[in-house]
Amino acid sequence: MGLNRTRSAAPAAGPAPAASAAAGTAGCPERAPDTGRPSPALLAVDAGNSKTDVALLGADGRVLGTARGGGFRPPAVGVGAAVDVLAEAVERAHAAAGPGGAAAPVRQVTACLANADLPVEEEALAAALTARGWGRRVAVHNDTFAVLRAGLTARDGEAAARGVAVVCGAGINCVGVRSDGRTARFPALGRLSGDWGGGGGLGEEALWHAARAEDGRGEPTLLRTAVPAHFDLGSVHALIEAVHLGRIAWERRLELVPVLFAAAGRGDAVADGLIARMADEVVTMAVVALRELDLLAEEVPVLLGGGVLAAGQALLDDRVTRLLAERAPRAVPRVVRARPVLGAALLGLDALGAPVDAHDRARRHFEPPRPPDGAPAPAPD
């Protein structure tokens, strides 16, 4: 079925009892000698294909410094160059932390990384981060775990995490955990592993249908004019030429997701069909993970994250909610709009054995304010 049955220890396990002398001091943060501020104890990293967020936290959950960097793409540029991108953001986070944030090794580095899709990749990336000397202990997880951990709150029983997360950003991925530590994962390697959709996939499909509408092989669709117009071009043919010759980067297909939703909102059948298929993919992944973990008969949070799912698009959200109610009636869907680096921070605080109030302090920093009634919810930045 495409799932990986991973090690019994789930990384999204919630606050754990202190397991070492270092972790046992989590409730008494170390102090920088010249400032009185907590010294950084945790380096949290959330690195996606398009951007990286880094945060330095004290053991009490206080955020001391943050920075944003470029995308993390080891398959494209190599592990060393990809980690260099992280290093630049880590350096700026230390600088933002002020005099007390000098770049000495922290007690815990927790990194949730895109392209850490297989256990062997997680191990290789953990070794690469360890070699940088950023912390005494290093844990690397796939970035889907960041969304899962960010979405699991005290009401879900943080000390015994249980839930499923589906992330639809540039790509699509899903992970599920049980309170006994069992996990369900997909390889998430694109079409090679049976995936469809995400922002990149939707953009590619929009261009594909626009091309076929223009040359007569496909159905009429508003995408025929809307897609090239987004790039200030007069035809799909001109856009194809510009992409093929490198004048427009292929990565910019992600920009076509709002174009697709706008066309669907105007009643375009082709665009609407793609959004319907995206909803089906999201729910299918969630249901398969729930079934693998024997959780279909239990009330379980299904956490929806990533730029596409967190954007507040009713055409997608309503379908996901309806299909999930049909196929997994006990599932409780919930959109995660906090920046995913919150999940990396909470996982790191878990590893430090930090108290609940430390988790709450980090959560308050990263969670967006609740929008007024009726206002659209912001997507993660």
Side-chain angles (χ1 to χ4, degrees):
M1 67 180 70
L3 283 171
N4 290 329
R5 296 171 178 83
T6 59
R7 296 176 295 276
S8 60
S20 67
T25 63
C28 303
E30 301 167 356
R31 298 282 169 179
D34 55 348
T35 66
R37 300 181 69 205
S39 295
L42 166 64
L43 173 63
V45 180
D46 174 73
N49 285 287
S50 60
K51 63 181 180 295
T52 294
D53 279 317
V54 170
L56 281 168
L57 295 89
D60 62 353
R62 190 184 311 182
V63 178
L64 305 175
T66 63
R68 172 161 288 183
F72 184 74
R73 300 186 297 158
V77 302
V79 170
V83 176
D84 285 341
V85 173
L86 303 187
E88 190 271 338
V90 169
E91 182 177 349
R92 287 192 290 109
H94 276 285
V106 297
R107 285 160 45 195
Q108 177 69 39
V109 177
T110 299
C112 297
L113 307 177
N115 301 298
D117 297 306
L118 303 174
V120 65
E121 292 172 321
E122 290 177 333
E123 293 167 6
L125 290 168
L129 268 60
T130 299
R132 298 292 173 128
W134 293 336
R136 302 175 201 167
R137 296 180 300 189
V138 174
V140 168
H141 313 297
N142 180 267
D143 57 345
T144 311
F145 282 100
V147 172
L148 176 64
R149 185 64 184 88
L152 291 174
T153 64
R155 61 182 165 172
D156 304 308
E158 284 188 296
R162 187 176 58 114
V164 167
V166 182
V167 180
C168 190
I172 186 169
N173 201 354
C174 174
V175 65
V177 298
R178 285 182 61 99
S179 54
D180 61 6
R182 287 169 53 197
T183 65
R185 292 177 62 178
F186 293 82
L189 300 173
R191 292 188 65 85
L192 175 65
S193 58
D195 307 328
W196 184 91
L202 288 174
E204 185 174 349
E205 291 285 344
L207 179 54
W208 188 89
H209 282 281
R212 292 175 69 87
E214 183 171 275
D215 67 22
R217 288 178 292 172
E219 303 174 51
T221 171
L222 295 173
L223 298 171
R224 174 182 175 176
T225 54
V227 165
H230 174 77
F231 297 99
D232 296 321
L233 295 173
S235 69
V236 183
H237 179 83
L239 175 58
I240 292 169
E241 180 180 293
V243 172
H244 179 66
L245 296 178
R247 296 195 296 267
I248 293 177
W250 177 234
E251 288 77 12
R252 292 188 64 191
R253 70 193 186 280
L254 291 166
E255 298 174 18
L256 294 175
V257 175
V259 176
L260 179 69
F261 276 99
R266 294 171 60 189
D268 185 80
V270 170
D272 188 71
L274 291 173
I275 293 169
R277 183 177 176 186
M278 188 72 265
D280 184 77
E281 288 289 320
V282 168
V283 173
T284 296
M285 293 186 93
V287 170
V288 170
L290 288 166
R291 183 184 302 120
E292 174 70 15
L293 295 173
D294 299 316
L295 290 174
L296 274 173
E298 300 182 28
E299 187 172 296
V300 179
V302 172
L303 307 161
L304 307 170
V308 176
L309 285 172
Q313 294 283 359
L315 285 173
L316 178 62
D317 297 350
D318 292 349
R319 284 179 166 122
V320 168
T321 300
R322 184 176 68 252
L323 289 173
L324 199 57
E326 293 172 0
R327 302 179 192 175
R330 300 297 305 278
V332 181
R334 190 158 71 236
V335 176
V336 178
R337 293 192 171 91
R339 291 162 57 189
V341 70
L342 168 62
L346 295 175
L347 286 168
L349 291 171
D350 296 343
L352 290 175
V356 172
D357 62 348
H359 292 74
D360 291 342
R361 189 174 289 113
R363 190 177 289 281
R364 286 194 299 271
H365 181 94
F366 288 112
E367 282 190 331
R370 186 180 297 276
D373 291 343
D381 61 355

